[in-house]
Amino acid sequence: MAKQGGGHFVHCDVGEPADNAAAVGEAVSRYGGLHIVALNAGVAIDTGINDGLDPVKYRRAMAINLDGVVYGAYAAHSALRASGGGDSIVTASIAGLLAAHLHPVAGRNTARVGGVARACGPFCRSTGGRTHMLDPGIASP
């Protein structure tokens, strides 16, 4: 599907630092630099905080939703800086700003994603970059 749109597919498990580094490396190699990164991966899981907590599902959601943003930002930072600063777009969720009773784990980790994005803003500005945060509404299947 990527080729149909003129793009290039690179496998990346955002919860793995090495995959993020490889994806950034591929972009720099293929396109000569990195000017924008979109950190946009997220899942909602069907495990509660009080009753029925599934630690495996919880850790996987945290790896995708929160760690993926941190690892992606870390992997992209040097390449963005080398290109003059660039833009980082971080997708959190409105669930991080509200009481997300249907998906408390998603609410918890997207609130932290928002915190990471806000914390990165001043640092990115100091190195010539910008950080943007999106908080879309909750989508349901």
Side-chain angles (χ1 to χ4, degrees):
M1 190 183 287
K3 287 182 183 178
Q4 292 172 340
H8 177 73
F9 174 79
V10 176
H11 170 82
C12 182
D13 178 341
V14 298
E16 295 294 331
D19 281 9
N20 283 276
V24 169
E26 177 68 20
V28 170
S29 173
R30 181 172 285 273
Y31 301 107
L34 188 68
H35 301 278
I36 187 167
V37 63
L39 304 168
N40 181 44
V43 295
I45 58 170
D46 61 349
T47 188
I49 292 178
N50 299 326
D51 297 323
L53 176 66
D54 181 329
V56 173
K57 288 182 178 180
Y58 171 78
R59 281 305 322 143
R60 187 66 187 142
M62 292 301 283
I64 293 168
N65 295 354
L66 178 59
D67 300 345
V69 170
V70 173
Y71 297 152
Y74 179 74
H77 174 72
S78 293
L80 289 170
R81 191 172 184 185
S83 295
D87 288 276
S88 297
I89 302 170
V90 179
T91 303
S93 171
I94 196 75
L97 303 174
L98 308 171
H101 67 282
L102 295 176
H103 297 287
V105 172
R108 171 187 267 176
N109 56 36
T110 58
R112 289 192 170 111
V113 166
V116 168
R118 285 187 291 279
C120 287
F123 176 74
C124 289
R125 276 193 303 279
S126 73
T127 60
R130 294 177 296 264
T131 300
H132 312 274
M133 185 172 71
L134 303 174
D135 286 312
I138 298 171
S140 60

